[in-house]
Amino acid sequence: MAPVIKTEKITHIYSAGTVFEHTALSDVSFEALRGEYIGIIGHTGSGKSTFIQTLNGLIRPTSGTVFFDGTDIRQSKERTRDIRFKVGLVFQYPEYQLFEETVFNDIAFGPKNMGLNAHEVAERVREAAGFVGLREDDLEKSPFELSGGLRRRAAIAGVIAMRPEVLIADEPTAGLDPAGSSEIIANIGAYRRSTGATIIIVTHSMEEIAQNADRVTVFDGGRIVMDAPPAAAFSRSDELSAMGLGVPAATAIANRLRARGLPIAGGIITADGLRAALRELRRGAGSA
Amino acid sequence: MLKDITLGQYFPDDTVVHRLDPRTKLVLTLVFIAALFVARGIVSYALMLAALVCCIAASRVGARALLKSIRPIIAVIAVTAALNVFFTRGTPIVRLWAITITREGLIGAAYMVTRLVMLISGTFLLTYTTSPISLTDGIESLLAPLKRIKLPVHEFAMMMSIALRFIPTLIEETDKIMSAQKARGADFETGSLIRRARALLPILIPLFISAFRRADELATAMESRCYHGGEGRTRMKKLAMSPGDYISLVCGAALALAVVLTNMAAP
């Protein structure tokens, strides 16, 4: 299957030629398939935020090319703008970007910019609100009357309303309580299931990746240093911790148990997986 | 794009110019500006230019950074030059329809442009080589006598350093909000002037809200650390004049004197 998004050796240097020169990305080649769920992890300053902004053309890499559906997103001005609607990008703390008088109008900002008519815009807004679990009466409120978690969901709905084929989110659960976090992850999952969109999530939560992602891409020093299914990536916990990254709690527990001599299987990344492995172990011990 | 704005930006380094006491640099900049306005004639200008070039060279800031600081006001300089060229009376050189260009106009424009460029470069050299904190410390110290007449000098200095401190933060914030709205298809570059002004609303509203939020948080943070203004506060970094400071001040005074003298000598 052809990748929906592909980058070819992109390098990005900030403030080139000054004392503040800083290479954020070097030679990053990456592919995402249609419908794939990709988790991006990396230490602060590893280039992941810069990277996702190159995917919808907000940042033009110093060198290298970004392809959407096989063609360069920089082919023409119209195409670059069009890509913004196809590759939806949710920034960190998106609730601080709300500006309209009502939640409805704010979610409608993207669809309106797409040039849709009032009827279509309303339909998109209702649909997006449904995905993030906003009630009908929330739509007529001011964004500032909503709670923090709901405000975040309204902001995410503002991107979903463009029906992007690729939905990218930069730490969508940062600063939320566990209930709020899992709701947002569920909202994004619902959007993916009903539209078949590709999801790319930057996160610090290894649990989130273990539970949802098909693949995890690890950034370090502006490069992709690991790109593998979560079970395979988290089995390299030493390398990850050398980069200042962790593994899911279940993997850490399994590792410690194994270190103590318990014959526990590898590739455990979720609590359910750990529970199953421990049951297995007890059954084995019982029959022996 | 916005990150390239160099307004009041500080380039950390360790040169003679960077090490000078901020008070010295402030006084020298004021002397320089004053001298620039009284300077008449090519000799005074040459003296001023030589002094400025020496300072720039010693600061290692680089001509490129300084030229960049002039870029935003090129339009102002161009208009001033044009006004001088077209509206000064004197000996005509070129005459086209209603437009007359005079010799005096051209000379006046040349002086005006040099003066403006030197003015901008000189003041930017100050902010490029002095960190905002020591700059406000210097201002506070220079204005200290005004405390006698009950002017809240420390509070003014504090407000200024907070304002300076938050310029980069606000620029970064603006950049982020712009990117976020662009990601939803906002278009700031095309359309009529009114359309473009309207397109700024999605940036300005979140920016104002976050600026107020930040101010509120900062006030709480300062209060919870018992900040109480100027009376009885001690400093982490005491300002101290070094021999180099006195030498620089003497040089500055000499330059000003030289400019005044050449002015008097000039016709």
Side-chain angles (χ1 to χ4, degrees), chain B:
Chain B
M1 162 188 109
L2 277 168
K3 280 186 186 126
D4 293 333
I5 292 180
T6 51
L7 176 86
Q9 195 178 26
Y10 171 55
F11 286 99
D13 201 342
D14 189 31
T15 68
V16 191
V17 184
H18 284 80
R19 276 195 302 268
L20 281 181
D21 190 285
R23 287 170 292 184
T24 313
K25 280 188 269 190
L26 275 164
V27 170
L28 285 178
T29 309
L30 289 177
V31 168
F32 179 78
I33 293 172
L36 209 49
F37 279 98
V38 296
R40 271 183 298 138
I42 193 128
V43 185
S44 322
Y45 270 84
L47 270 174
M48 301 287 299
L49 191 63
L52 182 63
V53 168
C54 286
C55 292
I56 293 173
S59 72
R60 283 202 298 223
V61 164
R64 219 210 276 176
L66 279 170
L67 286 177
K68 225 167 121 187
S69 63
I70 293 169
R71 209 162 50 188
I73 56 142
I74 274 183
V76 178
I77 296 181
V79 170
T80 323
L83 287 179
N84 264 288
V85 168
F86 296 125
F87 295 103
T88 312
R89 279 164 202 214
T91 347
I93 304 177
V94 185
R95 206 181 284 239
L96 271 174
W97 302 296
I99 304 167
T100 343
I101 296 176
T102 61
R103 205 176 98 86
E104 284 77 4
L106 281 178
I107 295 173
Y111 275 132
M112 190 52 92
V113 169
T114 325
R115 179 182 287 175
L116 280 175
V117 169
M118 277 163 73
L119 182 70
I120 306 287
S121 318
T123 40
F124 267 93
L125 190 62
L126 175 70
T127 58
Y128 280 162
T129 59
T130 321
S131 76
I133 304 281
S134 57
L135 199 57
T136 43
D137 276 356
I139 292 173
E140 187 183 343
S141 163
L142 284 176
L143 295 182
L146 295 181
K147 277 182 191 160
R148 292 245 179 86
I149 54 165
K150 295 263 156 61
L151 271 182
V153 172
H154 172 81
E155 280 69 19
F156 280 143
M158 192 62 181
M159 277 158 64
M160 219 176 101
S161 50
I162 290 174
L164 283 173
R165 156 66 186 77
F166 276 97
I167 288 173
T169 313
L170 285 179
I171 288 177
E172 206 174 286
E173 188 105 9
T174 314
D175 230 17
K176 232 170 94 183
I177 296 171
M178 262 177 109
S179 300
Q181 309 300 28
K182 269 194 203 158
R184 294 206 277 163
D187 183 2
F188 308 116
E189 278 120 32
T190 56
S192 65
L193 205 61
I194 295 172
R195 236 189 104 126
R196 272 194 241 182
R198 279 184 63 95
L200 287 180
L201 278 182
I203 303 173
L204 291 180
I205 292 171
L207 192 64
F208 269 99
I209 292 168
S210 87
F212 281 116
R213 186 172 46 85
R214 263 179 216 290
D216 209 34
E217 280 168 7
L218 183 68
T220 312
M222 285 168 77
E223 227 149 63
S224 64
R225 292 193 214 171
C226 305
Y227 174 79
H228 63 83
E231 209 51 47
R233 282 181 72 80
T234 53
R235 302 194 164 279
M236 192 164 107
K237 282 186 185 150
K238 281 232 173 232
L239 297 177
M241 299 287 277
S242 67
D245 287 308
Y246 293 111
I247 296 172
S248 315
L249 284 175
V250 170
C251 291
L255 174 71
L257 194 67
V259 168
V260 172
L261 286 178
T262 47
N263 267 356
M264 289 203 291

Side-chain angles (χ1 to χ4, degrees), chain A residues 17 19-20 58 81 84-85 91 96-97 99 106 109-110 113 144 158 162, chain B residues 9-11 64 179-187 202 205-206 209 213:
Chain A
V19 275
F20 300 107
L58 275 178
R81 194 167 140 80
R84 303 263 161 89
F85 304 122
F91 277 83
Y96 293 135
Q97 290 125 32
F99 67 97
D106 210 282
F109 184 64
N113 285 332
F144 305 102
M162 306 185 300
Chain B
Q9 195 178 26
Y10 171 55
F11 286 99
R64 219 210 276 176
S179 300
Q181 309 300 28
K182 269 194 203 158
R184 294 206 277 163
D187 183 2
I205 292 171
I209 292 168
R213 186 172 46 85

Side-chain angles (χ1 to χ4, degrees), chain A residues 63-113:
Chain A
S63 68
T65 322
V66 180
F67 297 94
F68 181 86
D69 256 348
T71 45
D72 186 352
I73 63 167
R74 287 264 166 202
Q75 205 174 48
S76 65
K77 229 179 166 178
E78 293 70 39
R79 177 146 177 91
T80 311
R81 194 167 140 80
D82 198 36
I83 290 298
R84 303 263 161 89
F85 304 122
K86 291 193 164 137
V87 181
L89 179 55
V90 180
F91 277 83
Q92 243 177 57
Y93 298 103
E95 60 273 28
Y96 293 135
Q97 290 125 32
L98 299 172
F99 67 97
E100 277 282 7
E101 280 165 53
T102 65
V103 174
F104 182 97
N105 285 348
D106 210 282
I107 300 177
F109 184 64
K112 268 187 203 154
N113 285 332

